Amino acid sequence: KNQVEQSPQSLIILEGKNCTLQCNYTVSPFSNLRWYKQDTGRGPVSLTIMTFSENTKSNGRYTATLDADTKQSSLHITASQLSDSASYICVVSAIRNDYKLSFGAGTTVTVRA
Amino acid sequence: GAVVSQHPSRVICKSGTSVKIECRSLDFQATTMFWYRQFPKQSLMLMATSNEGSKATYEQGVEKDKFLINHASLTLSTLTVTSAHPEDSSFYICSARDLTDSYSNQPQHFGDGTRLSIL
């Protein structure tokens, strides 16, 4: 069973609207959680990275939250743009095993005009 | 920011051919690079960890004789898919970690991937 579960699997939103993606994990002991954006046919690009003590982190219109107690994270996209259409991947790493990353299956976001 | 260059971006070849994919860290040194495979609508799956100057570490189920990895310098790792068959068709992605980064909290830097299609 995957240690990182993302929902929804996909979503379609209208340009200018907001959306929130969810990530639940069971990786332990927790080191950090990262959100990546992956455009079709490209490699993942880091959006945010959070450690145990961080509850929220922003990168432009992207805001990630982390609740290490419930092992949940979310990625909020504000005022979506057509260029936000991509797969968003939640990645979690464990303490003392930081090189091994546990990947979620991703949420495919499609922004329509 | 840190850049990882992967080449080629796309390969189409006949069954039985061996294919080499290069992964270069352009503006930093990486003692460790990672090779992933990604099937459509699925997660990246770690295939192997490439260590400069030593043998690669393969994940369970990955054939080391099938996927040859060489990490000859601090900026270059290569993955060779030997005698490729249609089932090897996939999206292969490498990543690297900056040698000078602190132990944790730094993102691995990913290449743009190689789309391999075996006919």
Side-chain angles (χ1 to χ4, degrees), chain A residues 3-73:
Chain A
Q3 296 187 74
V4 180
E5 299 285 348
Q6 289 186 244
S7 63
Q9 185 176 37
S10 63
L11 65 92
I12 300 172
I13 57 172
L14 292 177
E15 188 178 15
K17 299 297 184 181
N18 305 334
C19 68
T20 300
L21 316 180
Q22 301 292 338
C23 174
N24 297 335
Y25 64 92
T26 59
V27 175
S28 182
F30 175 81
S31 174
N32 58 74
L33 184 147
R34 321 161 196 227
W35 282 94
Y36 284 89
K37 178 186 179 187
Q38 184 178 21
D39 292 313
T40 301
R42 305 292 295 275
V45 175
S46 177
L47 295 176
T48 62
I49 180 168
M50 291 182 292
T51 61
F52 182 88
S53 60
E54 296 174 295
N55 300 120
T56 184
K57 183 160 286 187
S58 293
N59 179 358
R61 294 179 296 101
Y62 301 103
T63 299
T65 66
L66 173 65
D67 186 334
D69 291 331
T70 62
K71 299 186 177 181
Q72 296 180 325
S73 176

